[in-house]
Amino acid sequence: SQQGEEDPQALSIQEGENATMNCSYKTSINNLQWYRQNSGRGLVHLILIRSNEREKHSGRLRVTLDTSKKSSSLLITASRAADTASYFCATDRGSGDKLIFGTGTRLQVFP
Amino acid sequence: DAGVIQSPRHEVTEMGQEVTLRCKPISGHNSLFWYRQTMMRGLELLIYFNNNVPIDDSGMPEDRFSAKMPNASFSTLKIQPSEPRDSAVYFCASSSYSRALEDTQYFGPGTRLTVL
């Protein structure tokens, strides 16, 4: 079964709105990463948050991590049409040697 | 840097044929990963290498799949014989540190495989 489960599976918003995606995982982790995949392309790393961090920012991205609830959220502020993509969380199940990807959230931003 | 290079980008073959997918990781990276992505199963890790040595191949679906990394700049994923259920997009990724989750993975553009 998947280590990470993203929620919602799909999200449609208008440009300028904020988009929030959630990731839940099952086992302890060392770190959690978020990746973006544009249609027909490979995944691109967005941000990494360590298990001892609670929040991290990168440009319009804000990631939170709650290890007690085994969940993370990715917030994209002031979304743009170019943010249209699938977003995946990835965790290591505490092993620190390989990533297990979640099922992804498909984000559609309408201009 | 050219990034991770995969070839071919598209492959259409008939059931029973041998398929070889190729990957050139980013220069200096010592970890290489092969993934498969389908609508039904999402993104699955097939196998990964550290310093050209296979570390975990538990994701390889069956004996029809094999992967090699003869040197630090080249890896292959072979399917022999291929079956229609192998149709998927296959990604190669590399990272510069053996502890994968402490470093970013850089993905190639993928090879879209269709087995008829």
Side-chain angles (χ1 to χ4, degrees), chain B residues 25-75:
Chain B
I26 292 173
S27 178
H29 283 189
N30 62 358
S31 295
L32 184 139
F33 307 83
W34 282 101
Y35 292 90
R36 178 174 67 177
Q37 187 176 39
T38 62
M39 289 294 293
M40 290 296 295
R41 301 176 66 90
L43 192 65
E44 302 173 280
L45 176 66
L46 300 177
I47 185 172
Y48 78 98
F49 297 82
N50 278 348
N51 296 316
N52 312 336
V53 176
I55 301 301
D56 186 343
D57 65 354
S58 59
M60 297 285 262
E62 48 198 275
D63 292 343
R64 297 184 298 107
F65 286 69
S66 62
K68 294 182 179 179
M69 192 164 185
N71 56 62
S73 59
F74 184 67
S75 177

Side-chain angles (χ1 to χ4, degrees), chain A residues 2-55:
Chain A
Q2 295 286 353
Q3 162 72 332
E5 298 285 343
E6 282 88 341
D7 169 59
Q9 289 188 338
L11 179 62
S12 295
I13 60 174
Q14 296 288 329
E15 257 189 332
E17 294 180 340
N18 295 341
T20 299
M21 288 156 272
N22 303 297
C23 168
S24 59
Y25 55 91
K26 299 176 182 177
T27 66
S28 62
I29 62 171
N30 292 320
N31 306 282
L32 184 145
Q33 298 187 33
W34 284 91
Y35 285 77
R36 182 188 73 224
Q37 184 180 31
N38 290 88
S39 180
R41 304 286 188 90
L43 279 72
V44 175
H45 179 262
L46 294 176
I47 195 166
L48 179 150
I49 186 166
R50 301 189 186 283
S51 59
N52 61 355
E53 297 176 312
R54 291 297 167 260
E55 188 171 311

Side-chain angles (χ1 to χ4, degrees), chain A residues 48-100:
Chain A
L48 179 150
I49 186 166
R50 301 189 186 283
S51 59
N52 61 355
E53 297 176 312
R54 291 297 167 260
E55 188 171 311
K56 201 162 185 178
H57 297 255
S58 177
R60 295 184 295 113
L61 305 180
R62 172 178 170 256
V63 170
T64 61
L65 179 65
D66 187 334
T67 53
S68 65
K69 295 181 179 178
K70 292 187 171 58
S71 67
S72 174
S73 67
L74 170 66
L75 168 67
I76 304 174
T77 61
S79 63
R80 306 166 181 168
D83 295 327
T84 294
S86 291
Y87 292 82
F88 296 86
C89 67
T91 58
D92 73 340
R93 299 183 299 184
S95 62
D97 58 356
K98 63 181 181 182
L99 295 180
I100 305 297

